[in-house]
Structure formats: structure tokens, C-alpha cells
Amino acid sequence: MTSSELWTRATADRYDAEEAEASSAAVLGPTLAFLAELAGDGRALEFAIGTGRVGVPLRERGVPVVGIELSEHMAAVLRRKIDEYTLPVVIGDMATTVVPGEFTLVYLVYNTITNLLTQDEQVECFRNAARHLEPGGRFVIELGVPPLRFLPPGQVAVPFDVSEQHLGFDTFDLVEQILVSHHITRDGDDGRYRRDNSRHRYAWPAELDLMARIAGLELERRVADWDETPFTEGSAKHISVWRKPT
């Protein structure tokens, strides 16, 4: 077991509703096109597949997908959408769990590598990706750039969403490279609010490149989003692709 926090049944059951916008065809279209092109005629392995927000529609596009998921509750929600034969899912952590066969693509989206709270575990995640890739295969990560440039001296919190239904902000431990993501969400129409938080280990693009090198992977490209906008110093996130040498 890694340091990743386990998703509860209640969190899993409301996940799809809360991520409806991120699951829309408009948002997912570029993601699926990007991943399908890299997968080619081979198989894809999704680390932390969750409820299948990406894996299920990618499979529906004709890409054979296998998933690894730590939370049985999240996997149970996925199983309501698609059967085990069509999209197999192995319960386990993304840093050490091994599934049979080789893949042309391993991918890890939506900042999920930060669920591993130590550098060693994140390195092992890269090693695990390399272990599953066939020569020439790619490992893809979607990850936000740590927003530390928005932190004035002495401030430890950065808001990322302020709306009528939701307040979200991150607090930072700059020594341990840990952020805590805080969510205060309006729960129904009776004025009640639900408070949740989760811990993450943030990492810079250059740090991920070193992890990839340790795992025997080479950086192929880095873009700012799934539409392949060029990555610059002002980009809020990156999509990075590392290749296993032939």
C-alpha cells in the first residue's frame, strides 16, 4: 500500500456528478484524441482509472484499455458502466501493481500522481510505467504547475475556485513539498456546506523528467494542454510524454 488516500464509498458515489463538466464531450474530446493517437494499434493502461471518466470513453473509441485503481469503491462505480471483460480493472496502487502484458501507452491524468505523497513513491510510479511499456511506448502525465508564484511572502494559501456553490483553495508546506487541497461545497438547497480536504505532493516538470530518466524513459514532448498549446513559463499545467527507448 502506498501513501495514497483511499476514496470512500460516499466520495465515489458523488464523484461523477461533481466532475460532470470535466467529463463532457467538449472537455474530453481533445484528451481522448491525444491518447488514442499515442496508443495507436496497441493497448493502453490507465493508472488510477477511478470511475472511468477517461478510460471508458477511450475504450469506446476502440482502444483496448486496462485499469489499475486503489479504491474498490471507485472501481465499483466504473463497473456500473462497463463489464470486466471489456475493460479489466486490477485493484492495487499505481506504484507497484503489475498487470499482464505490455502496452503502447500508460497514462496518468488529472494531477493524480500527486496522490503519492513521497518522492520515492512517485519514482516507483515511473518505474512501474516503464515496466509495462513495450519498447517505443509512451508514458503520459497531466499535472498542474505548482502555483507558488501566486504566494506573497508569508502567505500559505492560494484559491483556485470561488463560486456560489464551491470554495476551493490550496495550502502549502514548502519544506515537505506538500499541498492540502480544501473544498467547501454547498450540499443541496438547505444552506448546508460540506468540507473536504486531500493531501498531495506537488512536483515540478524538471523533477518529473529526472524521475523519468531514473526509470529509463526519455522526454519526447511537453505541451500546456490536450489541444497541444505550447508550454511556456506562464502555463498553469502540462501534458508530458516520455518514451521508452527501442
Side-chain angles (χ1 to χ4, degrees):
M1 181 71 71
T2 67
S3 59
S4 295
E5 297 175 351
L6 276 171
W7 293 68
T8 65
R9 182 186 301 276
T11 303
D13 285 343
R14 64 174 178 258
Y15 181 83
D16 284 349
E18 293 182 344
E19 297 297 336
E21 182 178 354
S23 304
S24 67
V27 172
L28 273 183
T31 306
L32 300 175
F34 190 106
L35 296 175
E37 180 182 2
L38 289 181
D41 295 328
R43 299 194 304 158
L45 172 62
E46 180 171 357
F47 285 175
I49 194 170
T51 65
R53 182 183 70 90
V54 175
V56 170
L58 186 62
R59 181 66 185 91
E60 291 171 347
R61 286 177 69 107
V63 177
V65 177
V66 178
I68 293 175
E69 172 56 42
L70 184 61
S71 168
E72 294 186 20
H73 300 301
M74 295 288 277
V77 175
L78 178 150
R79 193 53 65 219
R80 299 171 196 163
K81 307 171 185 177
I82 195 166
D83 63 80
E84 175 71 18
Y85 176 79
T86 306
L87 201 166
V89 175
V90 176
I91 301 300
D93 69 82
M94 57 188 165
T96 64
T97 301
V98 178
V99 302
E102 290 187 325
F103 299 81
T104 57
L105 173 67
V106 178
Y107 65 96
L108 178 55
V109 298
Y110 224 37
N111 300 322
T112 311
I113 193 170
T114 66
N115 291 359
L116 299 170
L117 299 179
T118 70
Q119 187 182 68
D120 286 345
E121 288 178 350
Q122 291 179 352
V123 169
E124 288 306 310
C125 182
F126 273 82
R127 291 186 189 274
N128 201 28
R131 183 181 298 124
H132 285 92
L133 287 172
E134 64 180 42
R138 276 89 170 191
F139 181 36
V140 176
I141 283 182
E142 175 189 23
L143 183 60
V145 177
L148 301 190
R149 63 186 181 277
F150 298 121
L151 279 177
Q155 181 174 314
V156 296
V158 173
F160 58 83
D161 183 38
V162 179
S163 64
E164 185 176 339
Q165 299 296 324
H166 177 254
L167 170 63
F169 61 95
D170 293 330
T171 55
F172 294 84
D173 181 335
L174 301 181
V175 174
E176 298 297 330
Q177 225 167 289
I178 295 290
L179 72 83
V180 180
S181 186
H182 304 264
H183 301 267
I184 301 173
T185 307
R186 188 167 185 174
D187 208 0
D189 298 324
D190 57 2
R192 293 182 302 163
Y193 284 82
R194 183 182 72 254
R195 180 169 183 173
D196 304 291
N197 62 73
S198 57
R199 299 175 70 233
H200 306 267
R201 182 185 186 272
Y202 63 85
W204 300 95
E207 185 182 6
L208 297 183
D209 289 342
L210 182 57
M211 294 181 188
R213 186 181 305 176
I214 291 170
L217 303 176
E218 302 171 346
L219 181 66
E220 184 173 75
R221 58 178 156 147
R222 174 169 289 128
V223 292
D225 52 39
W226 296 108
D227 290 312
E228 302 191 54
T229 303
F231 180 76
T232 70
E233 64 180 14
S235 299
K237 74 172 186 178
H238 61 97
I239 313 298
S240 295
V241 182
W242 298 273
R243 184 173 180 270
K244 185 173 182 176
T246 55

